[in-house]
Structure formats: C-alpha cells, structure tokens
Amino acid sequence: MLENLKIGILGGGQLGAMITRHAIDLGLSVSIMDKDANAPCARYTSSFFCGDPASFEAVLEFGKGLDVITIEKEAVNINALRQLEKQGVKIFPAPDTIEIIQDKFTQKQFLLSHNIPVVPGEAIQGKSDLFQYENKLPVCLKKRRDGYDGYGVMVLKTKEDILAAFDAPCVVEELVNIKHEISVIVARNEHGAVECYDPVMMVFSEEKFVLEYQIAPAQIGDEILKDAIALAKQIAGALELVGILAVEMFVTKDNELLVNELAPRPHNSGHHTIEASTTSQYEQLLRAILGLPLGDPRLCCPSLMMNILESAPLNADKQGKLKRLLDVPGSHLHWYGKEGKRPGRKVGHITITDHTIESVIAKAETIRKILN
Ligand code: ADP
C-alpha cells in the first residue's frame, strides 16, 4: 500500500536499524544517511548514503526526491530540513521541534512557557561564568548542545570541580534530590491523534550517569504515573508533534514531577516496546509520520532492558557471554554490529520479558553477572 513512498532517516545507528526492521514489516523501504560508512544501518538497506546529517549540503542532497524524512538523532542540519520542507518534502518531527530540543536551554524555556515543571536552571557562556556559583554548590552542569548518555553532564561540588568543568555554553541546574527517573514515550500524528506508552523507570549508575537498566511498568504510584502521562501528552500537543517523543522526568523525594529532557525520536527507554508492547515505538513512529492510524501502545507483560556496553570482560569471551545471555529464559538479544572499540559504548541491549515484575528483576542480576 505504501511501498512507493520514499522515506529517509537521518542517522544510521541502532535506532535507525530498528526503525528499518519495522519498516520492512509494513512493506516499506527506507533510505538512510550516516557519516560513518560502517554504521549499523549500512547493511540493512541498499539505499545507504555516507554523509553527515549535520551538514547542510549533505542533508539537502540526501533529501531531494524523498517524500518524508525522519530522524534517529537530534544533531541534524535544521536549515537544510527547512529548505527541503519548502520543496515539498515532509519533515517529521518538524524542524522547529528539533531546533527547540537541540538546545537544552531553549528546550527548558519552551517547557516553562507552557507551564510544564522543569528543573530550574540558567544559561552560561563558558567556564569563566561558573565562578559566580562558587557559593551555590553543588550544581549540575550540562552542555547546551550535543550531550548524550550523560557525556555532557557533570556534578560540581567543589571549586576544584569548577576548574575541571566543561568550557562550553552550558546550563547550570539545581541538583535535584531524585527519587526515581522515568520516561514516557508519546506519539502524535498530523490529525492530532495521541497515544502514550506506560512510563518506564530507569536505574542509573551513581558515579557515571550511565543507565544500568530500565523496567516497565514503572514501580511508582498510580497518581504520579497518571500525571506523567498527562504531562507527556501536553508537551506533544504544545510542540504540535508529528512523530514520537520521549519525555524523561524526575520524581523528586517530595514526589514532585520535573521534566528533565525531551528526545523527538525513538529512544533507548522504548527498546522494550519491541517485545513487550502491542505496537513497538519504531512502528508507532512510522505510523505517526505516514498519517496512518496510531497503534495500540499497551504493555502486554512486564519487561526489563539492559544495555550491553563495550568492556574488557565482554571482549574476553564475547561469544560465550552472548550464548549465556540467550540462555536466560525470556531473553531477547539485540546486537548492533558496531565497528571499533570504545569502553562504555553501547554495542547491544537485552530485553527480558516474563509474567511478573519480580521475576524480570531477579533475572537482571543473572544478566549483570554474565556481562561482568
Ligand atoms: P543526557 O542528555 O546526556 O542523557 P541528562 O540531562 O539526561 O543528559 O542527564 C543524565 C543524568 O544525569 C540523568 O539521567 C540524571 O541521573 C542526572 N541528572 C541530570 N540532571 C540532573 C540534576 N539537575 N540533578 C541531579 N541529577 C541530574
């Protein structure tokens, strides 16, 4: 029905690969551009282009003749997307939405202007501006642009930390007393239809802000979950979103909900929807951007997702460890096929589904032991 549509994806990492896999289910084919010729997506489409999604010329060239373009990362060239939109290519999410979200401070101001509760924060130009916070420590420092997986985030506790801080335009935030971190994925199409996934709860490592695992459904009170879903829907409406949006939130020790950040694309916190939900976030994205009815986002069973990170213990016995992971009942392995080695890099993930939340959590321990 839709096989003649020319769909483009900017970014060819694992998220792009998972969109591609679900596009195949719908009988669609996709073109993908990534600056790395060996990106995970390169092997899954004959229509792979090597080019930088942040480059004006590359995006313009890639987009010519496509019907609709979507993204799997925010670092894309907005001006080229605006030009392509003028030429009749549909860009979902809209360039305006991507532009707001690309910058953590602009994002915060947008949310505040819509009365959405956010972590209080101020913009600074660089390190020299940080000394005015010397008497207000601790604070959380975040690069305004291009941060990911905690790499653009630092907690500053002492004057020495300020000396070692990023020297870039940043947001200085209050350090939140976090009780839980949750994420809510919401989808919206051009007709204004909205569907929301059940919130998931994320558990991070203390020292490096790296996600340890995530569980769905989130194990927090129903009232907070209802409020979180309402907030996610409100944000999707305010952005006039077409596509999907992950809304990361903090639940504070005082049970207050604060939006931490937005991602207008498939998100790590929705990997489990492939096995555990009626419609995966990847299929939902395609439905949303193609004007199709949105799918049922219902969670069918409890699930847990763990990232698999590049590490010396993993490399020492990769085949053996992956086989043992596959032997855990209810495990679903996703191996990204990434080239090159950098400790801490995400090279895969594993989703566990089972009948009860207790049993999936118990299996997390087994998985951790296998990976270490
Ligand atoms: P990234 O875009 O790199 O994922 P985030 O803004 O999501 O960065 O921050 C990464 C992690 O840092 C969060 O998941 C949370 O654990 C911690 N964090 C972020 N902001 C704050 C804050 N203001 N107070 C306390 N912890 C924070």
Side-chain angles (χ1 to χ4, degrees), residues 1 7 22 28 41 49 95 130 151 177 184 191 204 235 261 269 334 347 354-355 371:
M1 103 190 127
I7 303 165
H22 288 85
L28 303 164
C41 279
F49 298 85
L130 270 176
Y151 288 114
N177 219 341
V184 188
H191 315 299
F204 289 85
I235 297 168
E261 66 166 350
S269 64
H334 295 256
V347 288
D354 209 338
H355 299 299
L371 289 173

Side-chain angles (χ1 to χ4, degrees), residues 119-150:
V119 182
E122 292 168 353
I124 59 156
Q125 288 305 319
K127 197 151 120 178
S128 58
D129 292 344
L130 270 176
F131 293 95
Q132 57 183 300
Y133 293 93
E134 239 177 66
N135 300 323
K136 297 183 191 158
L137 300 177
V139 294
C140 186
L141 182 71
K142 296 180 177 179
K143 285 190 186 162
R144 284 180 68 159
R145 304 178 76 89
D146 301 328
Y148 67 100
D149 291 347

Side-chain angles (χ1 to χ4, degrees), residues 104 119-120 139-140 142 147-153 155 173-178 181 202 204-205 209-210 248 250 260-261 267:
K104 288 192 191 221
V119 182
V139 294
C140 186
K142 296 180 177 179
Y148 67 100
D149 291 347
Y151 288 114
V153 179
V155 173
E173 286 185 352
E174 267 178 24
L175 197 65
V176 178
N177 219 341
I178 300 173
E181 297 198 32
M202 292 120 113
F204 289 85
S205 72
F209 303 119
V210 174
E248 291 186 48
F250 298 144
N260 175 35
E261 66 166 350
H267 193 253

Side-chain angles (χ1 to χ4, degrees), residues 91-228:
I91 313 293
F92 295 138
D96 286 354
T97 301
I98 306 171
E99 191 175 46
I100 291 167
I101 292 175
Q102 274 178 342
D103 180 325
K104 288 192 191 221
F105 190 64
T106 315
Q107 201 185 113
K108 205 184 276 299
Q109 285 176 309
F110 175 85
L111 292 169
L112 277 174
S113 72
H114 288 272
N115 296 317
I116 307 278
V118 295
V119 182
E122 292 168 353
I124 59 156
Q125 288 305 319
K127 197 151 120 178
S128 58
D129 292 344
L130 270 176
F131 293 95
Q132 57 183 300
Y133 293 93
E134 239 177 66
N135 300 323
K136 297 183 191 158
L137 300 177
V139 294
C140 186
L141 182 71
K142 296 180 177 179
K143 285 190 186 162
R144 284 180 68 159
R145 304 178 76 89
D146 301 328
Y148 67 100
D149 291 347
Y151 288 114
V153 179
M154 289 173 110
V155 173
L156 308 180
K157 294 183 180 154
T158 61
K159 197 175 166 198
E160 287 67 44
D161 291 342
I162 293 183
L163 294 171
F166 307 123
D167 193 13
C170 283
V171 183
V172 182
E173 286 185 352
E174 267 178 24
L175 197 65
V176 178
N177 219 341
I178 300 173
K179 180 153 87 174
H180 299 296
E181 297 198 32
I182 61 172
S183 170
V184 188
I185 294 178
V186 59
R188 187 177 177 279
N189 69 13
E190 265 186 297
H191 315 299
V194 177
E195 290 288 355
C196 206
Y197 287 86
D198 284 310
V200 304
M201 192 163 101
M202 292 120 113
V203 179
F204 289 85
S205 72
E206 292 254 315
E207 76 287 9
K208 283 170 72 195
F209 303 119
V210 174
L211 179 71
E212 272 193 32
Y213 65 79
Q214 148 216 308
I215 52 173
Q219 299 301 287
I220 54 178
D222 285 350
E223 275 305 307
I224 293 184
L225 293 182
K226 247 197 275 161
D227 290 349

Side-chain angles (χ1 to χ4, degrees), residues 9 15 36 44 46 70 88 140 174 176 178 192 253 318 324 329 333 345 348 357-359 370:
I9 304 173
L15 295 169
D36 177 1
Y44 299 128
S46 53
T70 194
C140 186
E174 267 178 24
V176 178
I178 300 173
K253 296 255 160 78
K318 202 175 275 172
R324 285 169 62 205
L333 177 66
R345 188 181 195 204
I357 199 79
E358 291 76 20
S359 58
I370 294 172

